[in-house]
Amino acid sequence: MKEGVSGKVLAVGPGALTLDQGSGFQYLAARICRCLRRRGLRVAVLEDNPATLMDAAGGEGELFLEPPLPEVVAVVAEVCGASSLWLGTAGRRGWTLARELAAEGYLDRTGLEIADVRDRVLWACGDRSLLREILEEGGMNNPAFRTASSLREAQEAASQLGFPLVVRPHFSSGGWGAGVAFNREELPSLFMEASRESPGNEVLLEEYLGGWKKYVVCALRDARGGSVAAGIVEQLEPLPLHEEDAVIAVPPLPCGELLYALGEISRKVAGLLGVVGLAEVKVAVNPETVDAYVLDVNAGPRRATPLLELAMGIDLVSAHVDLLCGGKVEDIAIEREARETFLYLPRFFYPEEEGGQGHLSLGCRSVGRTVLWGRDVAGAARRALRLMEEDAGFRGSTREALEELAKQADGRRAVKRTAARSGAGGKADPQREGEEEVALCLNVSGEDTGQRRMVFLAAGSTRPGSGQELHFNLYRALLAWRSRGGSAAAYVGDPGLGLFLAGEADAVFLGPPTPHGLREALRRASTRKLCPHFGGGEAMELARRTALDGGDVEVVGGWPEGGDLPMILRRLRSSGLPLPGFACGREEAEDFLRTCRFPVHLTLLAGMEETAKRVCYAAGEAAEYLAAHRQAYPVLRELREDSLEVLVEAVAREGRLTCMLAWQSLQGPGGDAGEGPSVYPPLHLTSQQYARLREVVEETLRTTGWSGGVSLRLEVEGGEMRVWDLSPGTSELVPFLTRASSLDLAELALGALLGEEAPAAELAGKGSAVRYPISPLGLIAGEDLLLNTCRRRTGEVMGVGENPGDALAKILSGLGMRPSPGGRVLLSVANREKRRAVLLGRELVEAGYRLAATRGTARALRAAGMEVEEVNKLREGRPNVLDLLRNGEIQLVVNVPRGRHPHSDGFYIREDAARHGIPCLTDMEVALALVRGMRVAGTGGWPLRPEGIPVLGFAAARGG
């Protein structure tokens, strides 16, 4: 970016959270947008993640909820008047987009320039073999490598390099996707996985560096060639472990002259590539010979940047933007010593591979990080070990690494204590029991406002997605509180969120999810007001425990009295509201299983929290599951699989409905509310059903008497409507509805908690919004696309269009799943949908697709005069339906099941489709709409809909 540049920038977002791109990428992108706006630039955002904060950071900006495709970028840039693109904010997909924009001629035709990454840097960081060549020419050491475009070439390269062997996608930005094949049998599957991840399907095979240490060095370089190593993080667990799955230490452990050498390597690499701004240089070091190899280079802030910022108190994101805008390295103050010793511990949710053997899958598996610190390494390690005694979100190797770290540090600790006593000015040792501070204050601004200051409690990072959707809700509520003259503080566990909020809130505290840390934050914020309402169930449970454990705490929007699931269901039943058959507790469960209608949804509770969920299809299955979990409290509910599930996000004031949005899940009832695709407004809800829905919601809220945000799930079956679930607080699904309806549900919920009258909410306009979850189903064996009783998704994307088909076609195209004419579609539908399957088949044929179908569906299509290939089910011979999916011969699956029995053919079809990234639709109306939407997509005729244009929805205000 040239000095003195003005005008408008179009920043592209990183999209949905995935395991390789966690929530930290979203917060870095939002901070970059804030820096640009504070420099006086106008910033528009192209992003399909509804929970993004890029449009709000540093002032409101335009947001285009569209897929990040080259043709869309060109049109959006023209519509918003942007003269340059900022693609570093897009993370991994920014490199792919830049490559496509250049290859297809959009940059030349439009005159747009990529402002934040130079061409040489862009290509070198994405093309791994080019990076190796540049570094070798500059005298830098690299692992031995070969490239391969076919499995035969990969096998020949393996013969030259030997096993074990590192396998990576050749074209991939940011070091994503390293796997290890330990023998020839493991190479083919890993090669195919890497090939799918690489544009052009080329794969890089590298020398294995198992046991080597890994460091990430952040280097800053200006356009004049001035450079400095800003800091280093150390991966304490050796290669081949991915840094996101390993314990990270800042500052690195003492290692003589090595740290200086690593800094010089990073500066030289930045110079060879011509980097301007910040670069993260990953270096492997042989612990025996101290040989150093450069592994990868990230252009711009990535995973290591926020870790260094916390430890060293430097705003590296602002420094990066300043350098890109013409600043000089010499003007940036770099504090050489970290203030504390910081440890970053990975958290895990998904199960390990069975047996723990075989090749290491591409990428990482952790879902978030927990940050701990101390005055020295041993203290930080022991604090981490104490936390692990109460928390199951860590794995055994993390504990082993921490125990070894504490043991190694013991020999140095006495010397450090002596030095601290001589120069620390009498500070207390934070490791002493009862005196340690566990909440790190990131900023405090403004004067103490007494009763007008409130601490907002953020969601933790113990689940996939790290609570990013709930962080969106918290941020909107925090802004709403400040707009009312209040002083807002936040208590967070996510370092990326903490650094983002440090530029928005009056005070931010980073700490573990414990009552001790939370009370400490309240004390230092000089307030007793605590609001967990926007942090989800875990935040509300933590607030409840904090209030019960003692201390003067006023909880605003916490768990309401009688808010646990058994009491809610009993209260609703006693009031006469329609509910499915249910039982609470083991005594009721025994009788219930003898008389109920199967399948049954079984929820296990520990206190207020749901610990596990399962759908059982027989009494013996349910009894066996209960016997294996004797300590948990069970809640069982009858599940009608053929019913329609309608979701409601409502706002209430003391039990009176003030606002309500209804939408529909497309996966059917019983699963986690956000695990399947969903559409707003609902597809299948008549005006009469909506009127009845509103009556049931109003009566339900009157019965509870709750205030604030409330989430409801209801079953609709013919003329019946039953309340399935009810929970207080704003849910993870609010960002999608906020974007779809332009109704700020978090602000309305805060107003209700404060006793304010809600303004009338009239929604107008036409259109549909579709939400599509992103899940790493390739990591979860034996899982059904439909039968998702617990959250597995890491993130979500959304599309907005004139109808659900347009919206869904946009989403699939943005995800790279773009069925094209001439492709083959697999249809397998229940008998009740055979007639509409004929209509769908005709639409597909007219659009140029070939049809394949299982026997019953094929018979119906053939009787209607269509040409169709009949495909065997699993027990009907080979090749069967799974063979076609695994061979890449199917581009789209339409599977509308009769039921969701595990181990049915539909189960395996949906599981394999998810594993291989094949779109799988389970709703016939959506499938029909998608075909029409794909036709529009093929002509490039999508109308752009910037966020802020409301789509048709439902609202009820002041009971009117």
Side-chain angles (χ1 to χ4, degrees):
M1 195 174 202
K2 296 178 181 179
E3 191 170 4
V5 69
S6 60
K8 178 173 281 189
V9 174
L10 177 61
V12 180
L17 271 65
T18 58
L19 289 181
D20 61 307
Q21 285 196 164
S23 59
F25 282 76
Q26 275 288 344
Y27 303 130
L28 286 169
R31 291 174 62 199
I32 288 173
C33 289
R34 181 167 63 200
C35 289
L36 291 171
R37 291 189 179 106
R38 289 179 176 176
R39 293 187 66 90
L41 293 172
R42 292 174 297 143
V43 181
V45 175
L46 174 63
E47 172 65 298
D48 52 3
N49 180 351
T52 184
L53 299 174
M54 294 172 66
D55 58 316
E60 294 295 328
E62 291 178 276
L63 172 64
F64 291 84
L65 287 165
E66 302 291 340
L69 303 170
E71 60 269 30
V72 175
V73 170
V75 173
V76 170
E78 182 179 359
V79 168
C80 71
S83 58
S84 59
L85 301 175
W86 201 286
L87 299 184
T89 50
R92 184 180 169 214
R93 71 179 179 180
W95 181 85
T96 302
L97 183 57
R99 178 175 174 270
E100 293 172 346
L101 285 167
E104 297 176 26
Y106 284 101
L107 297 179
D108 292 335
R109 291 198 299 270
T110 62
L112 288 169
E113 67 168 2
I114 299 174
D116 59 333
V117 186
R118 294 181 172 182
D119 285 349
R120 179 178 173 84
V121 179
L122 182 72
W123 286 101
C125 291
D127 184 333
R128 294 176 186 270
S129 61
L130 176 60
L131 175 64
R132 298 286 186 261
E133 291 169 6
I134 292 174
L135 295 178
E136 284 185 357
E137 289 175 3
M140 309 295 293
N141 294 327
N142 292 286
F145 72 96
R146 300 287 187 278
T147 60
S149 299
S150 66
L151 181 57
R152 188 181 69 177
E153 291 178 3
Q155 291 168 336
E156 292 173 355
S159 299
Q160 298 169 2
L161 296 171
F163 289 96
L165 183 71
V166 176
V167 183
R168 303 171 179 266
H170 186 183
F171 296 97
S172 177
S173 176
W176 157 253
V180 179
F182 290 93
N183 55 59
R184 288 190 177 275
E185 289 186 6
E186 294 169 357
L187 179 60
S189 60
L190 191 54
F191 173 85
M192 294 302 296
E193 187 176 356
S195 178
R196 285 195 300 268
E197 293 286 343
S198 178
N201 305 117
E202 199 168 35
V203 172
L204 196 73
L205 298 99
E206 288 183 353
E207 173 187 359
Y208 178 66
L209 303 178
W212 286 42
K213 302 183 74 172
K214 183 176 179 180
Y215 299 86
V216 183
V217 190
C218 284
L220 294 170
R221 184 176 182 274
D222 59 34
R224 300 163 185 81
S227 63
V228 64
I232 304 174
V233 306
E234 178 180 356
Q235 178 175 315
L236 296 180
E237 297 171 84
L239 292 171
L241 200 62
H242 194 285
E243 73 255 26
E244 197 72 0
D245 290 348
V247 179
I248 298 294
V250 184
L253 303 184
C255 48
E257 298 296 321
L258 176 61
L259 297 185
Y260 173 80
L262 291 173
E264 291 301 298
I265 288 173
S266 72
R267 294 177 60 218
K268 185 173 182 179
V269 169
L272 288 172
L273 299 182
V275 169
V276 175
L278 184 145
E280 293 186 0
V281 182
K282 302 179 183 181
V283 184
V285 176
N286 188 322
E288 298 179 359
T289 64
V290 201
D291 290 336
Y293 286 178
V294 177
L295 297 176
D296 282 300
V297 181
N298 288 321
R302 291 294 186 271
R303 294 186 181 94
T305 299
L307 311 186
L308 280 171
E309 289 181 309
L310 276 180
M312 303 181 67
I314 312 170
D315 189 345
L316 292 175
V317 171
S318 291
H320 171 67
V321 174
D322 287 344
L323 292 175
L324 285 167
C325 292
K328 300 178 182 179
V329 163
E330 61 193 52
D331 297 330
I332 299 173
I334 302 294
E335 183 181 333
R336 289 294 179 182
E337 296 295 330
R339 298 174 295 178
E340 308 274 355
T341 295
F342 283 75
L343 295 179
Y344 300 88
L345 278 58
R347 304 190 65 96
F348 297 90
F349 177 82
Y350 301 107
E352 296 285 345
E353 298 286 347
E354 289 187 17
Q357 301 297 322
H359 71 260
L360 300 179
S361 180
L362 293 171
C364 52
R365 301 178 67 95
S366 68
V367 298
R369 286 190 175 276
T370 292
V371 185
L372 293 130
W373 57 90
R375 288 274 297 280
D376 56 30
V377 173
R382 288 194 172 88
R383 179 179 289 181
L385 288 169
R386 287 200 298 273
L387 176 66
M388 292 181 68
E389 293 174 0
E390 304 175 359
D391 197 320
F394 304 98
R395 64 184 182 188
S397 62
T398 301
R399 174 180 291 278
E400 294 169 5
L402 291 170
E403 289 173 345
E404 181 64 24
L405 179 63
K407 181 179 178 182
Q408 291 177 0
D410 277 338
R412 297 187 294 267
R413 194 173 180 198
V415 177
K416 287 192 173 185
R417 278 181 172 171
T418 302
R421 279 196 294 269
S422 64
K427 291 183 180 178
D429 182 356
Q431 308 309 320
R432 267 185 235 155
E433 289 294 330
E435 293 185 18
E436 65 178 4
E437 291 186 346
V438 297
L440 179 69
C441 182
L442 301 186
N443 78 308
V444 176
S445 61
E447 298 180 358
D448 178 14
T449 56
Q451 292 300 308
R452 295 300 297 166
R453 172 165 287 180
M454 183 156 61
V455 174
F456 288 83
L457 179 56
S461 57
T462 60
R463 292 290 184 268
S466 303
Q468 195 220 352
E469 300 101 333
L470 294 173
H471 295 166
F472 173 94
N473 298 343
L474 177 139
Y475 177 66
R476 303 298 303 183
L478 185 148
L479 292 183
W481 175 247
R482 295 190 76 194
S483 72
R484 289 161 168 77
S487 173
Y491 186 80
V492 306
D494 186 305
L497 175 66
L499 289 166
F500 169 75
L501 290 178
E504 305 284 341
D506 298 296
V508 178
F509 301 93
L510 179 69
T514 62
H516 174 50
L518 190 50
R519 282 195 301 270
E520 181 186 320
L522 289 165
R523 175 182 57 80
R524 294 166 70 181
S526 303
T527 185
R528 52 191 292 271
K529 285 183 180 290
L530 174 64
C531 182
H533 195 74
F534 305 95
E538 291 181 10
M540 288 195 282
E541 173 64 11
L542 176 57
R544 186 183 70 85
R545 287 168 47 206
T546 303
L548 290 175
D549 285 353
D552 187 17
V553 180
E554 178 188 346
V555 179
V556 178
W559 277 115
E561 186 176 349
D564 60 286
L565 182 59
M567 293 189 68
I568 292 172
L569 293 176
R570 287 171 175 147
R571 286 178 65 188
L572 296 180
R573 181 170 59 185
S574 65
S575 68
L577 280 158
L579 298 170
F582 72 91
C584 300
R586 292 185 178 268
E587 291 185 7
E588 290 185 16
E590 188 174 336
D591 294 333
F592 179 77
L593 290 173
R594 284 196 291 266
T595 60
C596 69
R597 171 181 170 177
F598 284 92
V600 165
H601 185 282
L602 197 160
T603 302
L604 300 180
L605 302 176
M608 295 280 195
E609 297 185 69
E610 298 179 352
T611 59
K613 301 177 186 177
R614 180 169 179 151
V615 173
C616 299
Y617 288 84
E621 181 186 357
E624 183 179 347
Y625 191 71
L626 288 172
H629 300 82
R630 294 186 180 278
Q631 303 303 315
Y633 184 92
V635 175
L636 296 87
R637 286 167 285 185
E638 290 182 346
L639 179 64
R640 306 290 178 88
E641 289 188 316
D642 290 334
S643 63
L644 169 71
E645 180 172 77
V646 176
L647 309 170
V648 172
E649 289 292 333
V651 176
R653 181 187 171 199
E654 296 179 349
R656 182 162 58 86
L657 178 67
T658 60
C659 177
M660 178 181 110
L661 295 178
W663 52 309
Q664 179 186 339
S665 169
L666 300 179
Q667 73 166 355
D672 182 90
E675 281 298 288
S678 46
V679 60
Y680 168 81
L683 288 174
H684 305 120
L685 206 61
T686 66
S687 57
Q688 291 84 359
Q689 286 175 322
Y690 174 70
R692 175 56 181 156
L693 173 70
R694 179 171 165 178
E695 291 175 0
V696 172
V697 171
E698 287 179 331
E699 181 58 32
T700 300
L701 294 175
R702 274 196 294 269
T703 301
T704 64
W706 291 351
S707 292
V710 182
S711 301
L712 301 95
R713 300 173 66 184
L714 300 97
E715 289 180 336
V716 179
E717 190 174 22
E720 295 184 53
M721 189 168 295
R722 297 176 290 272
V723 179
W724 168 262
D725 202 2
L726 176 69
S727 57
T730 55
S731 79
E732 297 169 328
L733 308 175
V734 162
F736 165 71
L737 286 175
T738 296
R739 301 297 191 186
S741 68
S742 298
L743 204 62
D744 195 336
L745 293 172
E747 180 173 11
L748 291 172
L750 178 69
L753 291 174
L754 300 177
E756 299 173 358
E757 288 288 341
E762 297 296 334
L763 302 183
K766 297 180 179 179
S768 292
V770 173
R771 176 187 166 279
Y772 194 90
I774 305 299
S775 301
L777 295 179
L779 296 182
I780 314 171
E783 292 286 347
D784 191 351
L785 187 69
L786 287 176
L787 199 58
N788 303 335
T789 52
C790 297
R791 171 166 179 159
R792 303 174 309 182
R793 67 191 183 279
T794 55
E796 62 189 48
V797 293
M798 72 176 288
V800 182
E802 297 300 326
N803 56 65
D806 285 354
L808 187 56
K810 289 183 180 185
I811 289 171
L812 297 180
S813 295
L815 296 174
M817 297 185 290
R818 209 177 211 179
S820 57
R824 189 153 41 162
V825 179
L826 172 67
L827 292 92
S828 180
V829 305
N831 286 332
R832 70 176 187 276
E833 293 288 3
K834 289 290 196 294
R835 292 180 64 183
R836 292 210 291 174
V838 171
L839 177 60
L840 175 63
R842 288 194 177 116
E843 293 272 2
L844 288 166
V845 171
E846 288 176 8
Y849 294 90
R850 293 176 293 138
L851 303 182
T854 51
R855 183 174 299 168
T857 306
R859 188 179 299 120
L861 296 172
R862 204 173 286 120
M866 279 176 277
E867 185 177 338
V868 57
E869 176 187 354
E870 188 171 314
V871 179
N872 289 325
K873 290 186 177 181
L874 270 63
R875 297 172 182 83
E876 296 174 349
R878 305 289 291 270
N880 60 35
V881 60
L882 298 190
D883 294 317
L884 296 183
L885 292 170
R886 293 169 183 175
N887 290 334
E889 298 177 38
I890 300 295
Q891 285 72 51
L892 175 67
V893 174
V894 179
N895 175 238
V896 183
R898 178 181 61 82
R900 290 176 289 160
H901 294 275
H903 313 304
S904 66
D905 284 272
F907 174 96
Y908 291 111
I909 290 171
R910 296 187 295 272
E911 180 199 18
D912 254 48
R915 279 183 176 274
H916 294 88
I918 303 169
C920 180
L921 304 178
T922 58
D923 183 278
M924 184 58 73
E925 191 159 335
V926 172
L928 286 164
L930 175 63
V931 178
R932 300 171 187 128
M934 287 191 298
R935 288 195 208 174
V936 176
T939 63
W942 282 332
L944 294 181
R945 298 174 61 89
E947 190 275 332
I949 299 177
V951 299
L952 181 65
F954 305 97
R958 285 196 254 267

